[in-house]
Amino acid sequence: MYFCFVKKEDREIVFNKYAGRCAYCGCELQKGWHVDELEPVRRNRKWIPAHWGEGLKETAECNSDTHPDTIFRKWNDGKWVADGCKHPENFNIDNQNPACASCNINKHSMSLEQFRESIQQYVQSLNLYSVQYKIAKRYGLIEEINKPVVFYFETIKPLL
């Protein structure tokens, strides 16, 4: 089974690819930034059904999880766990970009062009559904510009 996890030394290389900036919006990366694959690596998850398992109980005498008095049986309602991935060939540094959390979460497993199209629709969505946006626009606080979405990494050369 193939699991897709980024090693610490590879994270550093990806971070430095665009001098610590998000490859998509260009913002300075903050703690909690993500490694994104341009061509998605779709991680598989499987459901572990409800079962009895071991849990930890803190006691006044000892809260070490190696202490025998801290282990007890508990009912687990079930959970999703990692179970390999599809397209593991896409899991490589050449296909990885540094991303701020909001860009990576919004991109999800979309292709680059799907992500670009999605962003292009944001203004239309704001006009349809956001009262605050419409009011700010009426008061001249927002000026809409119709232009193509260009990602930060498309405007500069990577430092690798």
Side-chain angles (χ1 to χ4, degrees):
M1 188 169 302
Y2 189 87
F3 290 100
C4 302
F5 297 107
V6 181
K7 293 183 271 180
K8 188 176 181 177
E9 56 270 17
D10 291 342
R11 255 182 92 73
E12 188 175 337
I13 292 168
V14 172
F15 179 87
N16 291 323
K17 223 176 197 182
Y18 300 104
R21 296 195 167 274
C22 174
Y24 304 108
C25 71
C27 75
E28 247 182 75
L29 294 173
Q30 305 296 317
K31 183 178 180 176
W33 66 276
H34 297 190
V35 173
D36 178 66
E37 283 80 28
L38 282 164
E39 291 300 319
V41 173
R42 290 195 167 91
R43 281 137 180 101
N44 296 330
R45 293 170 22 137
K46 69 178 177 183
W47 178 254
I48 305 285
H51 63 282
W52 284 99
E54 288 187 348
L56 298 176
K57 173 172 50 176
E58 290 191 19
T59 64
E61 307 84 48
C62 177
N63 64 3
S64 163
D65 51 6
T66 58
H67 192 279
D69 292 342
T70 63
I71 307 242
F72 69 101
R73 302 287 290 165
K74 73 172 199 155
W75 180 253
N76 293 314
D77 292 329
K79 62 182 175 181
W80 287 100
V81 296
D83 187 31
C85 60
K86 295 176 189 159
H87 308 294
E89 68 278 6
N90 292 342
F91 191 74
N92 63 73
I93 287 183
D94 292 335
N95 187 46
Q96 292 174 329
N97 270 340
C100 66
S102 61
C103 280
N104 192 48
I105 290 166
N106 277 285
K107 183 177 178 284
H108 190 52
S109 62
M110 288 185 243
S111 71
L112 201 55
E113 291 314 309
Q114 288 169 327
F115 185 40
R116 192 184 314 271
E117 288 172 24
S118 175
I119 293 170
Q120 199 73 51
Q121 298 301 314
Y122 287 177
V123 173
Q124 179 182 352
S125 181
L126 286 166
N127 276 307
L128 288 172
Y129 304 112
S130 174
V131 172
Q132 292 90 345
Y133 181 84
K134 289 187 261 189
I135 291 171
K137 189 171 145 185
R138 261 186 273 156
Y139 280 89
L141 300 174
I142 295 172
E143 205 173 302
E144 292 178 5
I145 301 169
N146 188 11
K147 67 179 199 171
V149 172
V150 178
F151 297 116
Y152 179 73
F153 79 92
E154 295 171 322
T155 68
I156 66 166
K157 286 185 179 181
L159 300 174
L160 281 181

